[in-house]
Amino acid sequence: MTVVASRGHGHTAVLPATRGVVPSPLISVIVPVYNVQAYLAQCVESIQLQTYTNLEIVLVDDGSTDGSGDMCDELSREDARIMAVHKENGGLSDARNYGVSVSKGDYIAFVDSDDYISPVFVEVLYRALKQCGSKVAAVPGGCYFHDGDEATLDVNLHRLIEQETVEVAEIDYQRGMLYQKVTTGAPWRLYAREVVETHPFPVGLLYEDLATTYKFVKGVKSIALVKSTALYAYRLRETSIIRQRFSRKKAESAIAASRGMFADITQWYPSLEMAAASRCFSVNRMVLAQVPAECAEDRDSLWRELRKYRMLVLRDGNARRRERLAALVSLFGKAPFLLFCRVCRASGLLR
């Protein structure tokens, strides 16, 4: 893999610590970049404007072909906190892993390059993490918006810390992710460095967050949860993994990620077997609904996977209603289930 790195020589944003004052730790914000020229400036500016200033901003150009890599270099020249690195295209997991390997922060956050964050995002999560004595701080989700729209984000630092922050037990947070009450996406959290280094993202797989973030939570005992969903702006694009057209890689990734997660969760937390089944059923159901008729082998593989989980979902009163309904319809056979999925997908009923 060919890698070239550059670091800016602009103004120095971090001031030397005053005698007697404990300096704030360095936080690395890692931004994987691939063909996002239209969005990158807004994303990076939102990180530069953070009220927590002791930042290292790592822009990982993953072989962009639209000029995004040149933008990374220009941004690094303007701000000494920005490091631009360039590598051959290897996918989102590879870019994140490389960003972690070159970063120097005691804590790590991920921001997707087509999204942006509130100016208090990093400080709120860091304060929450320290307040709860945890290695991970998180928000449950964010503001979803389409191109052409803007998200309104929360900037009230003191209210977010004093009124919105709670400590959640590890197993309860895992349960929340499995029932999709809390997002599984990697960018919605702040992690102690060792948490991320221990569990690299799986290179070559889609649904890399589903396959990884539950591992970040394992063993941390508690999560500092900031209940606000107005700190991270998530752009909905047709090119996102969920919205992309079907591919065999999508089917193989959904199956591999869900199998690995189900095996781990049921071993680590036996009481979460039903919750794990619900999440595994959901991801395989969503992909199966996208499979065209000519891809019979992929349909069969996903159908067999669904059948492993459906009875657990049906018996689970805590599962989402949409999953229980889909599990019920699946009992009538593959053809009626596929018809049901197509109708629901077209109407937006099942996502």
Side-chain angles (χ1 to χ4, degrees), residues 191-222:
Y191 310 89
R193 182 176 194 87
E194 63 267 26
V195 170
V196 176
E197 287 183 323
T198 304
H199 302 289
F201 293 93
V203 176
L205 280 185
L206 304 177
Y207 301 103
E208 60 284 320
D209 291 350
L210 182 67
T212 310
T213 50
Y214 74 93
K215 297 177 182 177
F216 292 159
V217 176
K218 175 69 170 66
V220 300
K221 297 183 180 178
S222 69

Side-chain angles (χ1 to χ4, degrees), residues 107-121:
Y107 298 92
I108 291 174
F110 299 99
V111 176
D112 285 345
S113 52
D114 52 351
D115 300 336
Y116 58 92
I117 55 178
S118 162
V120 299
F121 177 79

Side-chain angles (χ1 to χ4, degrees), residues 281 310 313-314 322-331 337:
F281 182 90
R310 63 183 180 185
V313 175
L314 274 173
R322 70 183 69 177
E323 305 307 340
R324 296 183 73 192
L325 176 60
L328 177 62
V329 174
S330 75
L331 296 179
F337 181 77

Side-chain angles (χ1 to χ4, degrees), residues 120 124-125 127-129 131-132 137-141 154-168 173 223-231:
V120 299
V124 165
L125 290 184
R127 288 199 188 188
L129 183 148
Q131 177 178 301
C132 296
V139 293
D154 199 337
V155 297
N156 192 325
L157 176 67
H158 297 293
R159 181 182 55 76
L160 289 165
I161 293 298
E162 295 172 5
Q163 300 178 26
E164 298 288 319
T165 300
V166 296
E167 185 174 1
V168 180
Y173 189 80
I223 306 294
L225 180 64
V226 181
K227 294 183 288 183
S228 173
T229 56
L231 288 170

Side-chain angles (χ1 to χ4, degrees), residues 198-319:
T198 304
H199 302 289
F201 293 93
V203 176
L205 280 185
L206 304 177
Y207 301 103
E208 60 284 320
D209 291 350
L210 182 67
T212 310
T213 50
Y214 74 93
K215 297 177 182 177
F216 292 159
V217 176
K218 175 69 170 66
V220 300
K221 297 183 180 178
S222 69
I223 306 294
L225 180 64
V226 181
K227 294 183 288 183
S228 173
T229 56
L231 288 170
Y232 190 105
Y234 182 89
R235 191 184 305 269
L236 297 169
R237 291 202 293 156
E238 292 302 318
T239 54
S240 67
I241 291 174
I242 291 178
R243 293 166 176 262
Q244 283 176 4
R245 296 183 65 179
F246 175 77
S247 66
R248 170 153 290 179
K249 184 177 181 180
K250 208 170 186 181
E252 292 172 347
S253 296
I255 291 172
S258 58
R259 281 182 181 176
M261 182 180 68
F262 189 79
D264 287 340
I265 291 292
T266 52
Q267 178 183 353
W268 299 340
Y269 318 95
S271 64
L272 296 185
E273 181 185 28
M274 284 186 170
S278 176
R279 188 67 184 96
C280 294
F281 182 90
S282 176
V283 67
N284 286 288
R285 185 262 303 163
M286 286 192 297
V287 177
L288 178 58
Q290 301 174 7
V291 182
E294 60 269 22
C295 298
E297 184 179 343
D298 295 313
R299 278 189 170 184
D300 291 343
S301 296
L302 289 161
W303 173 249
R304 287 193 296 270
E305 209 65 23
L306 281 177
R307 293 178 63 186
K308 295 179 183 178
Y309 308 115
R310 63 183 180 185
M311 295 310 298
L312 285 170
V313 175
L314 274 173
R315 297 201 304 268
D316 186 3
N318 294 313

Side-chain angles (χ1 to χ4, degrees), residues 41-97:
Q42 183 182 30
C43 172
V44 174
E45 182 181 33
S46 75
I47 303 170
Q48 290 174 297
L49 293 175
Q50 291 298 296
T51 55
Y52 189 102
T53 57
N54 194 13
L55 297 177
E56 174 189 56
I57 305 169
V58 183
L59 305 181
V60 184
D61 170 33
D62 191 38
S64 296
T65 59
D66 70 341
S68 295
D70 293 334
M71 285 186 67
C72 291
D73 289 334
E74 180 61 31
L75 289 164
S76 76
R77 287 191 288 268
E78 296 172 356
D79 190 335
R81 298 175 300 173
I82 297 177
M83 177 198 302
V85 296
H86 305 270
K87 58 181 288 296
E88 296 171 357
N89 181 256
L92 180 58
S93 289
D94 196 42
R96 285 179 179 163
N97 291 340

